[in-house]
């Protein structure tokens, strides 16, 4: 019983500590509290629909309308300055060409690796910070602000500064040099891809040589993961803190009466209770990561041999530099599907299943 | 209770789409920029926002105001190097039938695309009135023309194929200063000497997508020469031909001498490194000249320049051009603008600030600094070719594929795969 209550409080709190304009806000919107819905069913109140109508209309045009238009463009022949929506034959030629583009294959590899590493690091760092700050007796507000501040920075600022730090001959390596490590890592200039499995995959995928890039972990992406986690760990921490403050203090007393130490209490009681919040943060951060553009653009750009290129940069360059509107739109559709694959199951569980 | 479910479902879908759309829809770039509202404001649309660029643009605007009393100008400049952002906004406005009176673009395929789409009007009257065809290079006028009519007026020409060097570093390494006629082989042996001395031989600002393609482009010109260059960009010579492969091989011989920080360095940082003595050579267009003088080093004593090895006698043109909208709100003012920016006085004032060369060959350049005087002399006597890396020689589609192919080639060093990807790059 307690667990389910905490679950819901935890999820609802997603928006509570977040600054305005946070991408998390719409998530919570989809799940109005149960009680409110029971009291005010929409069918009983036309005025409610009227109130909602403008936002539905705007959403309809500026979100659904443009999504539909993007899908339409991705199936067209539109390249160059003169727009044309003439359909390509055979249908989906652009998508097929996109799948065979070496750069886009590298982008897909990078965005998956980036998202996985970034989620692990940001959530872990956020959790550790939250547990430490929560148990700190003095200056809790100060620490909270200090760790949350990076989140207030623009990604461009973060990107430029971290680029300086991770430029081999001028940045962090100078410190390593003083410590006696004379040939430090090459950081964002390292073109190495470790753990290449493309040969094994090529053997499985029919049709011969399809994968044109090394499918592994590009080392240059790790500094970008560090920068992104530095920026967003504070956001994860704030959410964890909110969830932590909703925990019943008696839990701790009960645990210590049963002989549980600090570590056991955190691991066996707190972390399981924080799990729903962890999932919520994971979904928000995953969609930030999947559509990332500005941080990577400012920090490493496409990187050596596309080692840090992401779909967002690809879309921008194909659309506005190369004027391949159909290719840019097709890549956007792929990004859209990726994000939907992360967000939809979560929202489905949060709203439809819990309503039952 | 049950009836609310579809609505809840709709909200769910709505939320996910709202989330996804933030990164998803590329076809809806943000609104129009600059005011277009009433009055007799001539709207000039460009991507000149940096220090020297906006100063140069102001020279044009002042010249225009001086020539037509009481005229007002709306400066619709959109920041973003190379005009990526400006392009996005311009595209939206053209489709919304809300074109600026005149806008910045490149000669060649960029202008042709606007002509073919019916967005721009011809400037035959401007050229006829001032006899401009006689005082501008034929290669330039041709690149601004479609079906015998000329559609653009250019402001200045930057030179793409310049090799800059730090004189003190060369002297310290016992390397003779390059002179016109410098060859690729001499260049590579000099790079090796510098490396042996522990100096970073070659700076490349590869963080900027154009910089490595620029180095390859200069190497290509140095290897194949201007005639074959023109055949290549015209599609009359295959990208898989032996000359191109030889250039690609030379390029791979240069790469080991490049700064190991290259992929984290922008072109202006790379230029600064040359100024501060952190590297000896940089192959970069002559916008680097303004950057070098800004960094406090002096031409002749601190740094020198030479056409990129093998490309002596050729001038790679990187040119900005203004076109006039077909349905301009102020057509007369826009034509006036085109005439004014082609005038001798405006050309001189603009190029003094921009660091480029007047495209009019009858402008007296004796008041310009030595480098610009030399560039003007070369512009008037050399074989002129168009830049691929900066989009004048080919379509924007090819340009992007050229960038991507070079980026991949720098890691793979697979000459055959590289030339193959260039030959299929136009699609």
């Amino acid at each position: 019983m307690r667990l389910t209550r905490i679950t819901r409080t935890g999820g609802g709190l997603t928006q509570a500590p977040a600054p305005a304009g946070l991408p998390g806000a719409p998530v919570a919107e989809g799940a109005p509290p149960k009680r409110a819905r029971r009291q005010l069913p929409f069918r009983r109140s036309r005025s409610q629909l009227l109130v909602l109508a403008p936002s539905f209309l705007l959403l309809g045009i500026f979100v659904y309308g443009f999504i539909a238009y993007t899908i339409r463009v991705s199936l067209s022949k539109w390249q160059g300055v003169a727009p044309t929506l003439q359909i390509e034959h055979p249908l989906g030629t652009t998508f097929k060409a996109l799948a065979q583009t070496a750069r886009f294959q590298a982008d897909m590899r990078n965005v998956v690796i980036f998202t996985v590493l970034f989620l692990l690091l940001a959530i872990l760092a956020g959790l550790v910070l939250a547990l430490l700050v929560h148990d700190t007796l003095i200056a809790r507000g100060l620490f909270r602000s200090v760790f949350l501040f990076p989140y207030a920075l623009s990604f461009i600022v973060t990107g430029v500064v971290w680029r300086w730090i991770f430029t081999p001959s001028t940045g962090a390596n100078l410190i390593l040099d003083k410590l006696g490590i004379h040939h430090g890592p090459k950081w964002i200039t390292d073109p190495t891809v470790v753990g290449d499995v493309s040969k094994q995959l090529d053997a499985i995928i029919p049709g011969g040589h399809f994968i044109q890039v090394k499918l592994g972990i590009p080392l240059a992406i790790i500094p970008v993961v560090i920068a992104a986690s530095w920026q967003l760990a504070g956001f994860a921490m704030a959410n964890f803190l909110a969830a932590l403050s909703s925990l019943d203090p008696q839990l701790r007393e009960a645990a210590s009466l049963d002989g549980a130490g600090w570590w056991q209490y955190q691991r066996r009681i707190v972390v399981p209770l924080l799990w729903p919040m962890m999932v919520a943060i994971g979904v928000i951060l995953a969609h930030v990561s999947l559509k990332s553009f500005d941080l990577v653009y400012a920090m490493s750009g496409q990187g050596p041999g596309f080692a840090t290129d992401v779909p967002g940069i690809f879309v921008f360059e194909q659309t506005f530099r190369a004027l391949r509107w159909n290719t840019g739109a097709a890549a956007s559709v792929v990004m859209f599907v990726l994000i939907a694959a992360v967000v939809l199951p979560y929202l489905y569980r949060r709203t439809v299943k819990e309503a039952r | 209770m049950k009836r609310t479910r579809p609505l809840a479902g709709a909200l769910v879908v709505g939320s996910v789409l709202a989330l996804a759309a933030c990164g998803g829809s590329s076809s809806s770039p943000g609104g129009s920029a600059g005011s277009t509202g009433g009055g007799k404001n001539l709207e000039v649309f460009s991507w000149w926002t940096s220090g020297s660029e906006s100063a140069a643009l102001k020279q044009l605007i002042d010249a225009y105001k001086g020539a037509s009393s009481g005229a007002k100008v709306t400066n619709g400049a959109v920041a973003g190097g190379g005009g990526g952002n400006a392009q996005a906004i311009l595209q939206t406005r053209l489709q919304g039938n809300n074109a600026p009176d005149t806008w910045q673009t490149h000669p060649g395929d960029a202008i042709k695309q606007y002509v073919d789409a019916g967005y721009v009007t011809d400037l035959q009257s401007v050229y006829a009135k001032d006899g401009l065809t006689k005082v501008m290079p034929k290669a330039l006028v041709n690149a601004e023309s479609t079906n015998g009519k000329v559609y653009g007026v250019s402001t200045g020409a930057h030179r793409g194929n310049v090799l800059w060097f730090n004189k003190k570093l060369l002297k310290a390494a016992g390397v003779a200063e390059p002179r016109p006629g410098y060859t690729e082989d001499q260049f590579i042996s000099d790079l090796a000497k510098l490396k042996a001395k522990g100096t970073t031989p070659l700076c490349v600002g590869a963080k900027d997508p154009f910089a490595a393609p620029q180095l390859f482009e200069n190497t290509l010109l140095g290897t194949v020469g201007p005639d074959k260059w023109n055949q290549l960009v015209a599609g009359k010579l295959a990208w898989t031909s032996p000359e191109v492969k030889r250039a690609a091989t030379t390029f791979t011989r240069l790469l080991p001498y490049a700064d190991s920080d290259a992929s984290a360095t922008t072109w202006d940082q790379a230029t600064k490194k040359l100024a501060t003595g952190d590297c000896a050579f940089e192959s970069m267009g002559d916008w680097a000249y303004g950057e070098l003088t800004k960094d406090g080093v002096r031409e002749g004593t601190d740094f020198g320049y030479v056409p990129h090895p093998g490309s002596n006698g050729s001038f790679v043109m990187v040119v900005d051009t203004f076109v006039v909208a077909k349905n301009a709100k102020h057509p007369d003012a826009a034509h006036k603008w085109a005439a004014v920016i082609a005038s001798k006085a405006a050309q001189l004032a603009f190029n003094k600030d921009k660091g480029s060369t007047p495209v009019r060959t009858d402008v007296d350049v004796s008041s310009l600094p030595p480098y610009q005087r030399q560039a003007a002399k070369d512009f008037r006597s050399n074989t002129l070719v168009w830049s691929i890396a900066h989009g004048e020689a080919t379509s924007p589609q090819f340009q992007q594929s050229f960038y991507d192919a070079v980026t991949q080639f720098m890691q793979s060093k697979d000459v055959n795969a590289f030339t193959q990807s260039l030959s299929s790059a136009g699609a």
Side-chain angles (χ1 to χ4, degrees), chain A residues 23 26 42 64 70 78 80-81 102-103 163 167-169 189 191 291 297 302 305 317 320-322 324-325 332 336 351, chain B residues 7 12 14-15 17 19-20 22 24 26-27 87-88 91 113 207 261 263-264 269 396-397 400-401 404 407-408 411 427:
Chain A
F42 284 101
Y64 304 104
T70 304
W78 185 3
V81 288
R103 181 175 179 183
R163 171 153 62 86
T167 299
S169 65
T189 65
K291 67 181 194 192
Y297 197 75
Q302 57 195 16
E317 292 195 344
F320 297 124
R321 286 233 183 90
R324 290 194 185 100
W325 296 85
S332 308
F336 170 67
T351 54
Chain B
L7 194 65
V12 172
S15 312
L17 292 182
L19 278 178
C22 302
S26 66
S27 56
Q87 178 73 49
Q91 188 69 25
Q113 291 207 19
K207 166 81 171 59
D261 283 357
S263 73
Q269 285 176 327
Q397 286 92 326
Q400 183 65 43
S401 301
D404 290 354
T407 303
Q408 209 167 6
Q411 295 309 323

Side-chain angles (χ1 to χ4, degrees), chain A:
Chain A
M1 184 57 216
R2 170 160 296 279
L3 192 76
T4 45
R5 199 172 67 89
I6 289 172
T7 308
R8 213 167 290 136
T9 333
L13 275 166
T14 315
Q15 60 176 352
L22 187 88
V27 178
E29 220 171 82
K34 231 170 162 185
R35 262 180 59 224
R37 240 191 284 166
R38 209 171 283 149
Q39 280 170 347
L40 299 164
F42 284 101
R43 64 189 164 119
R44 279 196 208 150
S45 168
R46 270 186 206 162
S47 62
Q48 290 217 339
L49 275 180
L50 271 178
V51 169
L52 279 174
S55 62
F56 273 128
L57 188 71
L58 291 175
L59 210 65
I61 295 171
F62 291 105
V63 177
Y64 304 104
F66 282 126
I67 287 173
Y69 187 66
T70 304
I71 294 172
R72 184 67 186 74
V73 171
S74 74
L75 301 172
S76 74
K77 289 180 176 171
W78 185 3
Q79 299 200 350
V81 288
T84 165
L85 287 179
Q86 208 186 344
I87 293 274
E88 261 182 331
H89 288 290
L91 204 66
T93 311
T94 310
F95 285 94
K96 198 171 167 229
L98 189 67
Q100 288 166 345
T101 305
R103 181 175 179 183
F104 194 69
Q105 292 181 353
D107 292 352
M108 284 289 120
R109 166 198 76 193
N110 295 346
V111 79
V112 169
I113 301 283
F114 179 78
T115 303
V116 170
L117 295 178
F118 164 65
L119 283 186
L120 287 175
L121 190 59
I123 291 181
L124 187 70
L127 181 64
V128 169
L129 288 177
L131 292 178
L132 292 178
V133 170
H134 188 66
D135 285 352
T136 305
L137 295 177
I138 49 159
R140 195 187 290 178
L142 176 77
F143 285 121
R144 205 165 46 202
S145 311
V146 164
F147 292 129
L148 196 52
F149 271 145
Y151 184 63
L153 287 177
S154 143
F155 272 125
I156 296 293
V157 175
T158 316
V160 170
V161 174
W162 281 92
R163 171 153 62 86
W164 293 339
I165 295 176
F166 284 125
T167 299
S169 65
T170 57
N173 281 5
L174 292 182
I175 300 175
L176 292 179
D177 201 51
K178 288 255 161 63
L179 297 174
I181 304 164
H182 293 303
H183 292 284
K186 288 161 79 185
W187 302 119
I188 52 173
T189 65
D190 196 337
T192 318
V193 177
V194 296
D196 180 19
V197 293
S198 52
K199 283 213 179 66
Q200 289 84 331
L201 276 180
D202 246 345
I204 303 168
I205 299 173
H209 191 63
F210 172 72
I211 301 168
Q212 299 163 44
V213 295
K214 287 181 180 171
L215 285 185
I217 300 174
L219 291 183
I221 215 153
I222 292 171
V224 187
V225 169
I226 294 173
S229 307
W230 175 83
Q231 175 137 28
L232 284 162
F235 164 74
M237 177 205 70
N239 285 285
F240 281 129
L241 274 179
L244 280 173
S245 64
S246 73
L247 291 189
D248 197 329
Q250 288 178 346
L251 272 176
R252 175 160 240 175
E253 276 174 44
S256 64
L257 278 181
D258 285 343
W262 186 86
W263 173 245
Q264 262 186 320
Y265 168 71
Q266 306 293 1
R267 180 164 146 34
R268 307 242 171 220
I269 296 174
V270 174
V271 172
L273 286 177
L274 288 181
W275 181 250
M277 176 54 96
M278 216 173 280
V279 173
I281 296 173
V283 169
I284 293 170
L285 292 187
H287 103 267
V288 170
S289 158
L290 289 173
K291 67 181 194 192
S292 60
F293 172 83
D294 30 14
L295 176 72
V296 185
Y297 197 75
M299 186 166 165
S300 56
Q302 57 195 16
F306 303 120
T308 64
D309 201 44
V310 287
I313 296 178
F314 182 84
V315 168
F316 175 74
E317 292 195 344
Q318 289 297 331
T319 312
F320 297 124
R321 286 233 183 90
L323 303 183
R324 290 194 185 100
W325 296 85
N326 53 1
T327 309
S332 308
V333 171
V334 174
M335 281 173 75
F336 170 67
V337 170
L338 274 181
I339 292 169
V342 171
V343 181
L344 265 182
Y346 171 73
L347 289 181
Y348 175 79
R349 274 184 53 173
R350 291 259 312 122
T351 54
V352 181
K353 270 197 175 169
E354 282 185 17
R356 269 180 202 148

Side-chain angles (χ1 to χ4, degrees), chain B residues 385-396:
Chain B
V385 295
W386 290 106
S387 167
I388 301 168
H390 296 276
E392 282 90 348
T394 60
S395 67

